[in-house]
Amino acid sequence: MSRPEIQIRDLHKSFGDNHVLRGIDLEIGQGEVVCVIGPSGSGKSTLLRCVNLLEEPTKGQVLVGGTEVTDPDVDIDAVRRRIGMVFQHFNLFPHLTVTENLTLPQRRVLRRDKARAAQVAAENLRRVGLAEKANAYPSSLSGGQQQRVAIARALAMGPEVMLFDEPTSALDPELVGDVLAVMRMLAQEGMTMMVVTHEMTFAREVADRVVFMDGGVIVEDGTPEQVIANPRHERTRHFLSRLLDPAMADVEENNAG
């Protein structure tokens, strides 16, 4: 593996009595794409949010680019400037145009002047295939287009790492492909990416590694061939069978009932 860009050591997170993360150890190398899969409630999104301290770990360490995010004295704003995050929901400002959605964080956080921010916005809208939507408002865009704008907004900040939390789960199926195509492009460009997803085709084709989580622990960590095609653990096999054949999951539930 190349130089570690993300290092997670003995990470725990509890919400009251609910112990969501139970000692996670994970390293992601520079330029590596790691897809995190697992059932709802397994801790995937909590793990992702701990990387940029949107959730405060109960115990353990997180380092990004060699800087300890979990150090009480860390300049978290400086660290977050190096980490792009794309959520399930797009979080665009409805009263601002697409360009304004991209330039506002650049000007406020990076202190870029208006002309430079607009130039960077235009470059990144081209990257995601939405140059012609620069003056549109979010309400006029499809969900897939809004998510691509959200990716462009994150890229405009010049991140070294991109975190994706179920970026396609709120989209209609026919809109998923365009978003995944942009993520494929980023992977080909060498962006370090940590992706929580249920998109097994994307994980198979694009991920360098797949991490399967269940019950707040990492059950399997390996190549897509190892984890998706030839899982070692029964928990992984059961999850994938339900995900890849939902009809069989319904039959199981009906029989159990």
Side-chain angles (χ1 to χ4, degrees):
M1 188 172 71
S2 58
R3 174 176 74 81
E5 194 67 48
I6 299 173
Q7 296 166 282
I8 298 168
R9 300 171 180 163
D10 192 28
L11 195 71
H12 293 254
K13 175 62 182 178
S14 295
F15 296 97
D17 294 333
N18 186 12
H19 199 169
V20 177
L21 298 178
R22 299 171 176 267
I24 301 292
D25 290 295
L26 181 65
E27 286 196 354
I28 298 175
Q30 191 174 36
E32 201 175 19
V33 178
V34 174
C35 284
V36 184
I37 65 172
S40 296
S42 60
K44 309 181 302 292
S45 293
T46 300
L47 174 61
L48 198 74
R49 291 168 67 86
C50 283
V51 172
N52 63 357
L53 229 60
L54 288 177
E55 294 290 356
E56 186 101 29
T58 306
K59 178 189 172 190
Q61 286 182 305
V62 177
L63 292 87
V64 176
T67 300
E68 187 185 341
V69 177
T70 42
D71 183 336
D73 297 323
V74 74
D75 181 350
I76 190 59
D77 292 330
V79 174
R80 283 182 181 145
R81 285 197 281 274
R82 295 155 53 189
I83 305 172
M85 180 126 186
V86 178
F87 298 91
Q88 181 176 340
H89 298 288
F90 326 120
N91 300 333
L92 300 176
F93 292 112
H95 63 290
L96 299 180
T97 66
V98 164
T99 293
E100 289 166 342
N101 266 282
L102 267 67
T103 56
L104 181 66
Q106 293 182 66
R107 297 183 67 191
R108 286 205 175 157
V109 178
L110 303 180
R111 304 296 181 201
R112 283 181 181 150
D113 63 51
K114 189 173 183 179
R116 175 61 181 149
Q119 180 187 11
V120 172
E123 289 168 1
N124 283 289
L125 286 174
R126 277 196 296 275
R127 288 175 80 189
V128 302
L130 290 174
E132 77 284 359
K133 299 295 185 181
N135 297 315
Y137 285 89
S139 60
S140 71
L141 305 179
S142 71
Q145 289 171 331
Q146 290 187 59
Q147 190 61 293
R148 283 189 281 157
V149 170
I151 294 172
R153 177 180 58 187
L155 293 173
M157 304 296 284
E160 298 162 20
V161 171
M162 287 285 285
L163 309 177
F164 292 87
D165 189 5
E166 297 278 14
T168 60
S169 63
L171 303 179
D172 292 334
E174 69 271 19
L175 303 177
V176 168
D178 290 340
V179 173
L180 295 181
V182 170
M183 294 170 66
R184 280 190 182 90
M185 173 199 72
L186 293 178
Q188 290 163 0
E189 291 176 357
M191 176 66 75
T192 305
M193 296 163 60
M194 185 174 176
V195 185
V196 171
T197 185
H198 282 110
E199 297 290 343
M200 289 301 108
T201 302
F202 177 83
R204 271 200 197 98
E205 294 175 1
V206 181
D208 297 297
R209 280 164 51 218
V210 175
V211 171
F212 171 67
M213 288 183 65
D214 193 17
V217 300
I218 292 176
V219 178
E220 294 202 43
D221 178 355
T223 66
E225 175 68 21
Q226 290 168 331
V227 177
I228 298 176
N230 299 288
R232 289 170 298 156
H233 292 268
E234 178 57 34
R235 287 157 81 183
T236 317
R237 288 194 289 270
H238 184 64
F239 168 76
L240 289 169
S241 68
R242 291 170 66 90
L243 188 66
L244 299 173
D245 189 0
M248 183 57 66
D250 290 341
V251 168
E252 284 180 14
E253 286 179 8
N254 289 335
N255 287 343

